[in-house]
Amino acid sequence: QIPALIALILGCLATISHGHYIDQFYCGPDNCYDLLGVSRESTKQEIAKSYRQLARKYHPDLHHGAEQKLVAEESFKKIATAYEVLKDEESRTDYNYMLDNPQAYYAHFYRYYRRKTKIDVRLVVVVTISIISCIQYVSRWQRYDTAIKYFMSLPKYRNKALEIIKDQQSGGNRSAASDTRQRAKQSKAELKKEHDRQIREVIENNMDIQGAYAKPEITDILWIQLFLLPYTIGRYLWWLGRWVWKFNLCKQPYGREEQLYLVRKHMKLTQVQFDAIEADTVEEFLRQQLWIKSYFTQWKIEQENEKKKQMADNPRYKAFRRYMKNHGPGRLTFEE
């Protein structure tokens, strides 16, 4: 919780800087009851009466001389602080708890700052969700921008984009001529910037990026997902009921969508991870009927054996195995 975290941090700082936590809370090293001349059994009326009498006695305006006024002002502040602690039932209960349990440091921190920071929990939740949503949306755009810049740097996609731009410009002679005249007026930096903008635009319009680097949608942020949560739950229940009825009870054959879902479930991948797989690879999964558990198990064993074979044929892996066999993992030499 936020108040508890604040209490812990401030309490630790108080302990480090002043040596003892009690100096920072309530009446400090003094006893609030003793400052007002009352006991723990005194009523609110008795505490208020004692405070008014002491306030009149130690009010700075009633004392003359700089030294007397300074002493009175200090006493008046202590009395006012003690009254602030004891006049409120909640504050007085927390103070009594501290007197009875002086060793419960963190409990005092939490109780004290919980009252000092009167923040509505609903406001904290709203602000937290809003911050998470903003960070989520900005980070998704940054990942998407990183992916676009990466494709722009690859000659394969850059040359393809240049071909598309050339075809678009050759489609209209008048527009091409006006573009030529406009480019003649631009500097080299402006021309390069415009050139990169055109390439980026072509890649964005023609490249279908899937997975974690896909173009962000407004529906991906946390606020919208929470707003659509009832609809999402209802849709899932409808999907689950439909699945049980069609495939468990009626024994109907799986469609393409259901086959892909089962393949992804067998591979234990999220939807984002599965979407990042190449389309040709996904088609190969379907061709091998990996939605069938027995076929998938056999395919997985073959993949593991193939991976072991590739590692065994890898010269670097062979060298590593020789090193582990001759030296072991715990030996260090001067050559290393």
Side-chain angles (χ1 to χ4, degrees), residues 81-98:
T81 301
Y83 180 66
E84 287 294 323
V85 173
L86 300 181
K87 74 175 183 179
D88 180 70
E89 286 297 333
E90 184 180 3
S91 175
R92 185 177 179 180
T93 301
D94 291 343
Y95 180 66
N96 290 338
Y97 179 83
M98 190 191 74

Side-chain angles (χ1 to χ4, degrees), residues 146-162 199 203 207 209 278:
T146 301
I148 293 297
K149 289 180 179 178
Y150 171 73
F151 287 121
M152 289 175 62
S153 65
L154 295 178
K156 174 184 175 181
Y157 298 102
R158 191 176 185 88
N159 294 335
K160 185 64 178 178
L162 291 174
I199 294 176
I203 291 178
M207 182 70 67
I209 304 176
E278 295 288 341

Side-chain angles (χ1 to χ4, degrees), residues 63-188:
H63 293 77
H64 304 284
E67 186 175 351
Q68 292 181 355
K69 186 180 289 290
L70 187 63
V71 173
E73 184 177 354
E74 188 67 24
S75 299
F76 185 80
K77 287 180 180 179
K78 290 183 178 181
I79 294 168
T81 301
Y83 180 66
E84 287 294 323
V85 173
L86 300 181
K87 74 175 183 179
D88 180 70
E89 286 297 333
E90 184 180 3
S91 175
R92 185 177 179 180
T93 301
D94 291 343
Y95 180 66
N96 290 338
Y97 179 83
M98 190 191 74
L99 294 178
D100 296 335
N101 304 275
Q103 75 284 353
Y105 305 119
Y106 300 118
H108 303 327
F109 300 151
Y110 175 74
R111 286 170 173 263
Y112 183 80
Y113 286 106
R114 178 192 58 186
R115 290 181 292 99
K116 291 292 184 179
T117 55
K118 296 291 185 179
I119 301 177
D120 193 343
V121 177
R122 294 170 295 181
L123 178 61
V124 174
V125 172
V126 170
V127 172
T128 303
I129 295 176
S130 300
I131 293 175
I132 293 174
S133 299
C134 293
I135 295 175
Q136 185 182 29
Y137 194 65
V138 171
S139 63
R140 284 179 177 269
W141 269 110
Q142 289 177 343
R143 288 201 299 266
Y144 177 71
D145 183 67
T146 301
I148 293 297
K149 289 180 179 178
Y150 171 73
F151 287 121
M152 289 175 62
S153 65
L154 295 178
K156 174 184 175 181
Y157 298 102
R158 191 176 185 88
N159 294 335
K160 185 64 178 178
L162 291 174
E163 291 178 6
I164 296 175
I165 294 173
K166 186 176 180 180
D167 294 340
Q168 291 176 350
Q169 291 177 349
S170 61
N173 295 330
R174 293 183 61 184
S175 61
S178 61
D179 288 343
T180 304
R181 289 193 298 270
Q182 186 177 1
R183 286 196 297 269
K185 300 178 182 179
Q186 294 177 334
S187 63
K188 290 183 178 180

Side-chain angles (χ1 to χ4, degrees), residues 242-294:
R242 174 178 170 272
W243 184 283
V244 173
W245 172 258
K246 289 185 64 176
F247 306 118
N248 293 358
L249 299 178
C250 298
K251 304 298 182 180
Q252 296 183 14
Y254 296 120
R256 178 183 174 85
E257 182 180 349
E258 290 77 21
Q259 293 172 359
L260 292 175
Y261 168 76
L262 289 173
V263 172
R264 180 172 65 84
K265 183 179 178 182
H266 293 334
M267 292 183 172
K268 298 180 180 179
L269 299 177
T270 64
Q271 187 65 52
V272 173
Q273 292 172 330
F274 192 76
D275 290 341
I277 300 176
E278 295 288 341
D280 295 340
T281 306
V282 174
E283 293 298 330
E284 182 64 21
F285 293 160
L286 295 178
R287 189 186 67 79
Q288 298 183 32
Q289 299 182 1
L290 296 187
W291 67 86
I292 302 175
K293 186 65 175 179
S294 58

Side-chain angles (χ1 to χ4, degrees), residues 40-52:
R40 294 181 61 169
E41 290 74 26
S42 300
T43 63
K44 291 181 64 175
Q45 291 76 16
E46 293 173 342
I47 292 174
K49 180 180 179 181
S50 177
Y51 167 70
R52 287 193 296 268

Side-chain angles (χ1 to χ4, degrees), residues 10-30 98-99 101-105 108-109 113:
L10 292 179
C12 292
L13 292 176
T15 304
I16 293 172
S17 58
H18 293 273
H20 201 275
Y21 73 95
I22 202 172
D23 294 345
Q24 297 298 303
F25 304 131
Y26 304 109
C27 297
D30 299 318
M98 190 191 74
L99 294 178
N101 304 275
Q103 75 284 353
Y105 305 119
H108 303 327
F109 300 151
Y113 286 106

